[in-house]
Amino acid sequence: MEREAVTIRFPADLLAKAKKLKFVSESLNDLVVEALAREVRRRRGWAAHQRIIARSETVKAKTGIQPTSGDLIRSFREGENRRD
């Protein structure tokens, strides 16, 4: 992975909390990189979730709300409408 140097300014209180919470064997850089990677994954997941919701709303608008299939499945399991 290519590395790029960036200067980031953190509020002093947040930096103090981060230093207290990081593991002894962990650098502050490692902590920040891991936190940023988690946030990127979270935001990608949220964006995907929003796209799914938008798509389902589009489909629902075109097709309407579909009836539940639970009753039909139960009737098949119980042998009604079954062809042997």
Side-chain angles (χ1 to χ4, degrees):
M1 176 184 346
E2 188 176 324
R3 294 178 183 242
E4 186 175 329
V6 177
T7 301
I8 300 175
R9 291 176 180 82
F10 293 97
D13 60 330
L14 179 61
L15 188 57
K17 289 175 186 176
K19 285 180 179 179
K20 284 182 183 178
L21 291 174
K22 75 176 189 67
F23 296 116
V24 175
S25 61
E26 181 179 41
S27 71
L28 188 57
N29 185 73
D30 292 341
L31 178 68
V32 171
V33 168
E34 184 180 330
L36 185 57
R38 263 195 319 269
E39 183 64 14
V40 167
R41 284 191 306 273
R42 186 189 74 79
R43 289 184 184 206
R44 281 184 179 161
W46 179 251
H49 174 74
Q50 293 301 100
R51 285 191 305 273
I52 290 167
I53 300 251
R55 178 64 58 100
S56 70
E57 291 299 322
T58 301
V59 169
K60 193 187 306 180
K62 288 180 182 177
T63 64
I65 296 175
Q66 300 298 309
T68 180
S69 59
D71 292 337
L72 181 60
I73 291 170
R74 271 189 291 287
S75 72
F76 284 137
R77 287 183 180 159
E78 293 169 359
E80 298 171 23
N81 301 323
R82 217 172 177 183
R83 295 179 190 166
D84 290 327

